[in-house]
Every structure is written in structure tokens, then in C-alpha cells.
Amino acid sequence: MSVLEIRDLHVTVGEGDDAKEILRGVDLTVRSGETHAIMGPNGSGKSTLAYSIAGHPKYTITGGTVTLDGEDVLAMSVDERARAGLFLAMQYPVEVPGVSVSNFLRTAATAVKGEAPKLRTWVKDVRDEMSALEMDPAFAERNVNEGFSGGEKKRHEILQMRLLKPKMAILDETDSGLDVDALRVVSEGVNRTRAEGEVGVLLITHYTRILRYIQPDFVHVFVGGRVVDEGGKELADKLEAEGYAAYVKDSKETAKA
Ligand SMILES: Nc1ncnc2c1ncn2[C@@H]1O[C@H](COP(=O)(O)OP(=O)(O)OP(=O)(O)O)[C@@H](O)[C@H]1O
Ligand SMILES: [Mg+2]
């Protein structure tokens, strides 16, 4: 049983006079076995939240805490976060020139587990997961993210999650750029991980499309750098029907006051 706890998190980007506060007191708790959806309009700070938890150097934590099972995540290096069981799939995954998918995955698994996975079972695991994600085996020999299509990047992210078996998975815009078939395949990958139990999922999206495949236990509405409303999966349907207008208006009034 694991718990990711985010308390009153404040984050800025930029330096000196250009520093801008993006996260303005985020509170969120994710337990293993739970799936939480974070939904909010463009620019509300959703990716900033994911990057901050990941330890991206561009973001400065100015207040608050993030803990995983009581351990201070913000004090950990990026590698330590991965070893602690955090997995972050990003909206704009980076290219890793000259490194094949196959080598990248094995290096990542070695870093996370502290020892190299046994070659024979590893090769089979990779092959099985790629097949389940309907990926061409030749994909394993391509360089990471080099010329990947949007759908290929997402499949690659989910492949990483499947093989690394994290305690907490943060998936940012997992539905962006996916056609209907890819959305189903990617969602099934996430759902297989959920079915194996013990993983907590934080799913960041601004559409409800993916939530038809990955049913969240909780939905949080994110506006102006904080959580402004929470509910069950019925809240996602309400957002689809009504949009974020009411929340955005409230948030501006609060900011002025
Ligand atoms: N490095 C940066 N420098 C300047 N501004 C930034 C930086 N990173 C984020 N921002 C600003 O922070 C705000 C929140 O951005 P963020 O990417 O977190 O939003 P989002 O909720 O993920 O939006 P989307 O739904 O479009 O993905 C935006 O106004 C963005 O321009
Ligand atoms: Mg984003």
C-alpha cells in the first residue's frame, strides 16, 4: 500500500522579476489501487504539476511538500524518484539520440530495480508487452523518440510503465494525438496495470475521451494552479457538458480578491 501526498504545493517558473507562480497551493492524495483524473483548461498548470513531481529543473518549488510513503520526493534526484516507484509519462517526451528502445528500457529497468533484469525473461517480457500494445517488433531497434509519431510515443510510454511496474504512475495527456484504436490499446495497457493491483494512477487530461476507457475513481478539476473541485467519475460527464467556464470565472474572482 503506497500513498502519494501533495500538500499546499507552490511552484514558479522563470527567474528574478520574470518568475511566475503557476501552482498556487495544490492538495492531492493518491493511494495505490486508485485512479485519479486531473482535468482542467489549457494553461491551468496540469503539466507543471507533473513536471514538478518529476523533478524537472525548470520548475522551482517555493512551498509545500510531496511525499511517497512518507519519504520526501522533492529532496530526491530524478533517478531516486524513479527508484522510489514514481513513473512519469510526459506530454512531450524527449529524444534520446543513438539509444535504441530496447537498450533504453533495459537501462531504465536496471536503474529502477537496482540490478539488470535476467536477459531471457526480459526479452520475452518486452516482446509480450509490445505485442499486447500492438507494436511492431522492429520498433525495439529504433532510437528513442526519434521520428516517433504521437501514437508511437504514447505506446512507448505505456510500454515503459508496463515493464517498470511503478507504485505511482503519472500520465500527462495520454490521449493527445491518439486515434481511436491507439486510444483503446493504450488504455488497455493502463487498465492491465491497474488490474494487477497496487498501482496508483494520476491521469492528466482535458478531454473526457480517455475516461470512457480508463474509469477514474476520483476526478479533480484544476484551474488557475490549484484543485477547485472534486468528485467521482460523474464530474467528468458534467465537465464534458458544461466546460470549465464556471470554474474559470470563479478562479479569476478569487485571484482578484
Ligand atoms: N518554462 C516555462 N516558462 C514560462 N511559462 C511557463 C513555463 N512552463 C509553463 N509555463 C506557463 O505555465 C502555465 C501552465 O502551463 P502548463 O503546461 O502546466 O499547463 P497545462 O494545464 O498542462 O496546459 P495544457 O492543457 O495546454 O497542456 C502556462 O501559462 C504556461 O505558459
Ligand atoms: Mg499540459
Coordinates of all heavy atoms in Angstrom, one line a residue, residues 47 91 172-173, ligand 2:
S47 N 0.4 20.2 -16.5 CA 1.8 19.6 -16.8 C 2.8 20.1 -15.9 O 3.7 19.4 -15.5 CB 2.2 20.0 -18.3 OG 1.3 19.4 -19.2
Q91 N 4.0 14.8 -21.6 CA 3.3 15.3 -22.7 C 4.2 15.4 -23.9 O 3.9 15.1 -25.1 CB 2.7 16.6 -22.4 CG 1.7 17.2 -23.4 CD 1.0 18.4 -22.8 OE1 1.4 19.0 -21.8 NE2 0.0 18.9 -23.5
D172 N 0.5 12.2 -18.3 CA 0.1 13.5 -18.8 C -0.4 13.5 -20.2 O 0.4 13.1 -21.1 CB 1.2 14.5 -18.6 CG 0.8 15.9 -18.9 OD1 -0.4 16.2 -19.0 OD2 1.7 16.8 -19.0
E173 N -1.6 13.8 -20.4 CA -2.2 13.9 -21.8 C -2.0 12.6 -22.6 O -1.6 12.7 -23.7 CB -1.6 15.1 -22.6 CG -1.7 16.4 -21.9 CD -3.1 17.0 -22.0 OE1 -3.9 16.5 -22.7 OE2 -3.3 18.0 -21.3
Ligands
MG2 MG -0.2 20.1 -20.3

